Amino acid sequence: MRALTYKFVTIEQLQSKLDFSQPCMFDTETIGLYGKIRIAQFYQRHFDENGIAIAYIVENPNVYELLQLLTDLVVVGHNIHYDISTIQENIGLHAWMPKEFHDTMLLSRLYFYTKEKFSLDEVVKYTVNEDVYGGTKKEFHKADWNVPVLSHEQLMYASIDVVYLHDVFDMIKEVIEDINYRLDMLCLRYCLDFQQNGLPIDMERLNTVYAENMRLLEEIALPINCNSYQQVRPYINSSLSDDKGLALLSAQGNEKAIQVRKTRKLTKQNSFLSKFSETTRNGRIFGKFKPSARSGRTTSDDQNLQQIPRKLKGIFAIEENGSEVLLYSDFAQIQLRAVCAVTSDTRMEALFRAGEDLHNYVARFIFGENFTPEERQICKTANFSLLFGAGIDVFKTVLLKDAGMFLTDEEASKIKSKWLKLWRQIAEWQEKGAKDWRKKIPWETPLGRKYTAKMMTDQLAMQIQGFEAEVAKLALHYMVPKLTELDSRIKLVNFIHDSYMFICPNDKELYSKACKIIADSMQEGWQQMSQSVSIRDLPMPVKVRVGFNWGEIEKDKYIFEHQQ
């Protein structure tokens, strides 16, 4: 470990020491998540004195002075999204960000693509082949930064963060021009902007759903703790106390298992509702969005607005027939279309071009012309759960938990075998994925994002999810500037992997134009990215719907629809 120390400075003193033409390593330690900034750390190589690396630390910085300083710096941080979001939170709802910044977490995912962990301590290990934190990174990360006087150990830890960050940046900055990083950073900027818009929530609807859930819980009156397996197992007279086991027992008619499962579901929904109620600001819920998944997908932290239970989507609404509307759009079966385009599955391609229903087609192939709705559901589940090489246990579990339908191993095995015979090119792609995974051969997404996978199914899934993410991020880049130019009041409020939600003034002429921009951008993103896969012109139907309630829009209750 190199010799290093720290010096306390004011922002004014720091400004005179910085070289604004060079990247500056930056980090913060906060009191609570996105809370008050206790210290801000800075490092550039020329800070060193007599062979000793020196981190400059500003204690309890004035956030507005900090903002002004950072605006014109070339800022480098590890998960810089957190530090920028923290400053945004400290100054209120303001979509500020530096003019130029880099994120070594996003860079490291591309550079160290054979690795699985990308926290700063792990990335530093990859860079200098040494654990410079001595295994204390997590300990200090959770330390109390609200003490009157910070310890020397805390300050050294904070200094290590920025001093060794420079080593990391020097090694991995060669991938700054990688198209994946450039797209990630464009997406990150849009995320840092739109996450401050907030998703509108109807508190009256929220309270109604919460009250109804409480009524149902009181009606069930479960006499045990539904989340305690020690209590659940004797109550249901079975050791099958996880959700899969409860789903199986429920399908077999075990009333007590049905009660436990319903109680868990209602309790989980109410935990979402309670958190929403506690954290609502000005009628909005705010998540923290960033393209941080290994596949390149965005995630939503703080409030996970990308995984809202279907029943709760109806609470995200604005005043009906009021001054604003919601615009919601997503890609049509993008996962199946992406697999088809990547694998060149000729049968699936023909069905998509003809506008056929894939689930009906599979049901006819497996069960015959007179298939039942239940058999169609089995085939729909197969189309998604078998796509990435999953075994029959996964297929059976998804079907059981989502549809309450049970298959024997023999039944599931026969269906899987027929499914693989139907989609021959997909089956070949799965075989190649399994073979390469066993040999630890890296794969890549259509845009060239390389990766290795811990599980065989991930080897396949990440290629397709990466393709979807590339399409969605490119479409986002096409649509947002055009919508802003059309009318700055049109605001993105949610981005869920391959779907978008905007708020727009309730003006039909305006929102019809906005819908066309969104649809055009989505198709352009799909067409552009499709030039990197086997099938370059697979159709991508797009619908953009206008309404007042997210849940109702998804249930086909809307006031306007644009299709193309």
Side-chain angles (χ1 to χ4, degrees), residues 380-398:
K380 181 178 179 180
T381 302
N383 278 339
F384 291 107
S385 63
L386 298 178
L387 207 54
F388 302 130
I392 60 171
D393 283 344
V394 172
F395 171 39
K396 288 174 55 183
T397 298
V398 173

Side-chain angles (χ1 to χ4, degrees), residues 264-283:
R264 284 184 179 176
K265 184 177 181 180
L266 291 167
T267 302
K268 183 177 180 180
Q269 287 178 6
N270 274 6
S271 69
F272 269 95
L273 294 172
S274 294
K275 186 177 181 183
F276 291 153
S277 182
E278 292 166 2
T279 55
T280 299
R281 300 197 312 252
N282 301 319

Side-chain angles (χ1 to χ4, degrees), residues 152-349:
H152 172 70
E153 289 75 19
Q154 284 178 295
L155 294 168
M156 284 297 291
Y157 154 78
S159 302
I160 289 172
D161 275 355
V162 287
V163 169
Y164 279 91
L165 183 61
H166 213 310
D167 293 306
V168 172
F169 184 66
D170 283 347
M171 174 175 283
I172 68 180
K173 64 185 179 183
E174 65 182 62
V175 296
I176 282 176
E177 294 305 316
D178 186 298
I179 185 63
N180 290 282
Y181 179 69
R182 289 162 58 195
L183 187 57
D184 278 348
M185 290 302 291
L186 281 171
C187 181
L188 181 57
R189 283 185 172 273
Y190 291 128
C191 288
L192 285 164
D193 185 3
F194 90 79
Q195 70 183 16
Q196 296 297 329
N197 295 331
L199 186 62
I201 189 166
D202 186 324
M203 291 303 297
E204 185 176 341
R205 289 173 184 264
L206 182 152
N207 291 330
T208 298
V209 175
Y210 188 90
E212 174 62 13
N213 284 354
M214 290 302 297
R215 186 190 68 77
L216 293 171
L217 287 168
E218 290 173 6
E219 190 177 276
I220 295 170
L222 197 71
I224 61 166
N225 179 351
C226 67
N227 293 314
S228 168
Y229 74 88
Q230 294 97 332
Q231 295 182 41
V232 169
R233 289 179 179 179
Y235 180 72
I236 63 176
N237 194 29
S238 172
S239 62
L240 304 177
S241 58
D242 62 0
D243 192 51
K244 176 184 176 182
L246 290 172
L248 175 59
L249 294 172
S250 297
Q252 294 172 347
N254 185 317
E255 287 298 328
K256 290 185 175 180
I258 293 172
Q259 290 176 345
V260 171
R261 198 162 185 246
K262 283 183 178 178
T263 300
R264 284 184 179 176
K265 184 177 181 180
L266 291 167
T267 302
K268 183 177 180 180
Q269 287 178 6
N270 274 6
S271 69
F272 269 95
L273 294 172
S274 294
K275 186 177 181 183
F276 291 153
S277 182
E278 292 166 2
T279 55
T280 299
R281 300 197 312 252
N282 301 319
R284 301 287 176 98
I285 292 291
F286 299 85
K288 300 293 190 299
F289 294 81
K290 55 186 175 181
S292 61
R294 283 195 69 193
S295 63
R297 274 184 165 185
T298 56
T299 59
S300 176
D301 301 330
D302 199 17
Q303 293 279 9
N304 189 349
L305 300 181
Q306 295 181 330
Q307 293 182 324
I308 304 295
R310 184 177 297 275
K311 182 181 176 181
L312 303 188
K313 290 182 178 180
I315 71 173
F316 295 98
I318 53 179
E319 180 185 356
E320 191 162 343
N321 299 316
S323 62
E324 295 179 314
V325 292
L326 296 176
L327 278 56
Y328 178 76
S329 62
D330 61 3
F331 292 90
Q333 294 184 316
I334 189 171
Q335 191 168 83
L336 290 170
R337 291 177 192 272
V339 169
C340 177
V342 167
T343 64
S344 276
D345 193 286
T346 52
R347 177 172 284 163
M348 188 176 285
E349 177 186 3

Side-chain angles (χ1 to χ4, degrees), residues 11-44:
I11 288 181
E12 185 178 3
Q13 290 170 333
L14 178 63
Q15 192 161 9
S16 66
K17 297 176 181 295
L18 287 166
D19 181 349
F20 282 80
S21 69
Q22 296 298 315
C24 180
M25 309 303 114
F26 171 68
D27 191 26
T28 60
E29 302 299 339
T30 62
I31 300 171
L33 191 64
Y34 303 108
K36 182 179 183 296
I37 298 173
R38 183 66 169 87
I39 58 173
Q41 309 99 274
F42 298 81
Y43 178 69
Q44 290 182 320

